Amino acid sequence: MGLKKSKNLFEKAKEYIPGGVNSPVRAFKSVGGHPIFIKNAKGAYLVDEDHNKYIDMINSWGPMILGHAFPPVEKAVKKAIKNSFSFGAPTRKEVEMADLIAEMVPSVEKVRMVNSGTEATMSAIRLARGYTKRDKIVKFEGCYHGHGDSFLISAGSGAITMGTPDSPGVTAATAKDTLLAPFNDLEAVKKIMEANPGEIAALIIEPVVGNMGCVLPKPEYLKGLRELCTQHGVVFIFDEVMTGFRLAPGGAQERFGVTPDLTTLGKIIGGGMPVGAYGGKTEIMDYVSPQGPVYQAGTLSGNPIAMSAGLAMLKHLKKNKDIYTQLDETGFEIVNGIRRTLLELGLNYSINWVGSMYSLFFTEVDVVDFETAKTSDTALFGKYFHEMLNRGVYLAPSQFETLFISTKIDDKLIKKILKANRESLISITK
Ligand SMILES: *Cc1c(COP(=O)(O)O)cnc(C)c1O
């Protein structure tokens, strides 16, 4: 497999772009080697600058749930471009988009469009703080909510933890308002709420975590959080940037039957264009300017080209609900196949799976939170990653990322993926 052009591009990129990439995980730092530069993609496949072809198991970290260059999305974008690219004034498409989101996502009555998942989560906690007139938020270890200061916080020591900055540039003053809890531990959240009465504005969670690898909520966990938030007057936020429109047309909240107060969206919502959104109860959303006092704005928010792509995507997902059954079945086939191979090879690694998200963790421990995820052998994962890549399967370049299945993964591709998986596991464990 030649990778000369990618290698050269990366050398050049490093001269002008910090670390050679515009988002850190793309740099392949945690798996070694250099990143692969993509030239184009269609359906299930990515093609790189050296003309290697890969089955794509990232799908742009989610958006390409229908495969690359999905014709209805492509058509909608081409049509929209003829009317110019941006007006900075309201358009019909934004109204259609808001209406469609409200129809699809159970918790959303009103919604505001933004340009990324990061913007959505930053805006949602500002809104929760303005609405409750409280300062603190609770987040979970290992959950990622974009790169807003309030989220770049890691746990300090002690049972009831106050956060410490996780990146230089985040101030201690910001960190003190973010409280950290372990995922899947309801008792820990109860303690935090009781220790901070009347001070917590919001609790934000990935209802299914994708950002420490795929980690599922225990049964009744989300319901328990819902009850605690209601009891303590805390705004319950589902960060569905990843799970929204993926685990069901209405996201994890539909799949698990738990309704948050606010929801943040991204990734699939833009069909591959830079889009995010936050929405929820009218009573809370009406605190957003210009209706209410909480300021939030965006020059390119609701951009007509981006709205066209997102609308085409969401309309298709809403109309074709069998897509979700298909994705569940594909997920089952892949995960079951990996399990069979593990059994055959006498390996006891952990797999987590729901619908079109799954992770193979190189640990024998059940992965239920960040502590258990961290028991994974990341060096071994790095080897596995490169073995898969050499066999034409492009995985997320980190143990702590979920994989994403698209509707373009058919039976033939499942077989290819499972064959590559078996050979890779044999190669790295022999
Ligand atoms: C990707 C992601 C974000 C950040 O979205 P960006 O568009 O990258 O800013 C936030 N939350 C979750 C759960 C995500 O997966």
Side-chain angles (χ1 to χ4, degrees):
M1 196 172 75
L3 288 172
K4 203 163 155 234
K5 285 189 181 152
S6 278
K7 195 161 189 299
N8 290 341
L9 276 169
F10 189 50
E11 290 311 314
K12 175 127 194 189
K14 282 191 286 187
E15 287 177 37
Y16 302 106
I17 306 171
V21 290
N22 281 311
S23 196
V25 74
R26 297 179 198 168
F28 277 30
K29 264 196 151 171
S30 62
V31 291
H34 61 82
I36 287 168
F37 283 67
I38 304 300
K39 192 164 188 165
N40 57 59
K42 179 73 192 165
Y45 286 100
L46 293 171
V47 179
D48 72 12
E49 287 282 347
D50 295 282
H51 304 290
N52 300 298
K53 211 170 149 188
Y54 310 90
I55 301 172
D56 187 7
M57 301 302 282
I58 308 184
N59 289 293
S60 187
W61 304 94
M64 299 302 160
I65 189 170
L66 302 171
H68 287 277
F70 184 65
V73 174
E74 202 178 303
K75 213 171 114 197
V77 169
K78 278 186 179 154
K79 195 171 157 207
I81 279 173
K82 291 186 196 138
N83 301 324
S84 188
F85 307 150
S86 178
F87 317 117
T91 59
R92 172 187 300 273
K93 290 206 176 103
E94 292 161 87
V95 186
E96 284 176 28
M97 186 68 153
D99 184 355
L100 186 58
I101 296 167
E103 222 179 291
M104 291 176 81
V105 185
S107 65
V108 174
E109 293 169 4
K110 281 193 179 177
V111 61
R112 170 63 62 84
M113 302 309 300
V114 293
N115 305 288
S116 69
T118 293
E119 236 189 287
T121 55
M122 278 166 44
S123 308
I125 58 158
R126 182 184 304 135
L127 171 58
R129 283 170 165 156
Y131 173 74
T132 58
K133 301 179 178 63
R134 300 172 178 183
D135 288 345
K136 291 181 181 170
I137 62 162
V138 178
K139 84 170 279 283
F140 295 86
E141 291 161 23
C143 281
Y144 178 70
H145 304 293
H147 65 86
D149 284 6
S150 299
F151 304 118
L152 294 183
I153 309 291
S154 55
S157 54
I160 297 169
T161 50
M162 187 151 80
T164 55
D166 209 13
S167 161
V170 175
T171 65
T174 299
K176 94 177 186 344
D177 285 330
T178 300
L179 309 171
L180 269 290
F183 192 77
N184 266 331
D185 182 347
L186 199 57
E187 200 52 37
V189 174
K190 191 161 175 256
K191 278 193 190 140
I192 288 174
M193 293 216 177
E194 280 164 4
N196 297 274
E199 292 186 81
I200 300 171
L203 179 144
I204 185 164
I205 191 166
E206 289 180 76
V208 168
V209 193
N211 288 293
M212 53 175 141
C214 179
V215 177
L216 276 64
K218 288 181 179 162
E220 304 298 306
Y221 176 62
L222 295 174
K223 212 171 132 219
L225 291 177
R226 170 70 278 181
E227 280 160 16
L228 280 174
C229 285
T230 305
Q231 192 185 332
H232 292 271
V234 171
V235 175
F236 191 24
I237 306 174
F238 269 15
D239 180 356
E240 297 227 44
V241 169
M242 195 179 275
T243 53
F245 313 106
R246 173 164 290 280
L247 295 182
Q253 53 198 271
E254 179 182 335
R255 191 160 183 133
F256 293 94
V258 174
T259 308
D261 302 308
L262 290 179
T263 299
T264 55
L265 296 161
K267 298 189 171 123
I268 291 177
I269 201 174
M273 301 288 274
V275 180
Y278 64 105
K281 287 184 182 154
T282 297
E283 186 194 324
I284 304 177
M285 288 306 291
D286 277 349
Y287 266 70
V288 178
S289 57
Q291 182 77 31
V294 176
Y295 193 70
Q296 188 271 309
T299 300
L300 294 173
S301 294
N303 173 272
I305 313 296
M307 291 303 102
S308 300
L311 265 174
M313 185 77 163
L314 299 193
K315 275 183 188 165
H316 188 86
L317 293 172
K318 181 166 176 269
K319 214 166 67 195
N320 300 278
K321 293 207 169 68
D322 52 320
I323 281 172
Y324 295 94
T325 320
Q326 183 204 330
L327 288 169
D328 278 15
E329 284 168 5
T330 308
F332 177 80
E333 289 298 326
I334 293 175
V335 167
N336 215 29
I338 297 175
R339 286 203 175 113
R340 275 200 306 272
T341 301
L342 291 175
L343 202 65
E344 178 206 339
L345 302 177
L347 301 170
N348 208 12
Y349 301 139
S350 244
I351 304 187
N352 286 344
W353 162 61
V354 57
S356 56
M357 294 166 66
Y358 76 95
S359 291
L360 168 61
F361 291 97
F362 286 88
T363 176
E364 300 196 348
V365 174
D366 271 350
V367 177
V368 295
D369 57 15
F370 195 42
E371 276 310 301
T372 46
K374 280 192 297 189
T375 64
S376 303
D377 184 341
T378 53
L380 195 60
F381 175 83
K383 287 184 191 162
Y384 173 73
F385 170 84
H386 284 288
E387 294 286 343
M388 290 295 277
L389 196 65
N390 286 334
R391 289 173 176 81
V393 183
Y394 191 94
L395 305 177
S398 163
Q399 170 74 91
F400 304 114
E401 299 288 352
T402 186
L403 298 177
F404 300 94
I405 296 165
S406 80
T407 53
K408 295 295 175 200
I409 304 290
D410 58 14
D411 288 347
K412 205 179 90 202
L413 293 185
I414 293 174
K415 282 208 183 84
K416 274 195 186 178
I417 293 163
L418 290 178
K419 182 166 179 279
N421 173 70
R422 186 171 177 278
E423 291 172 3
S424 299
L425 285 175
I426 289 172
S427 169
I428 62 166
T429 54
K430 74 176 173 221

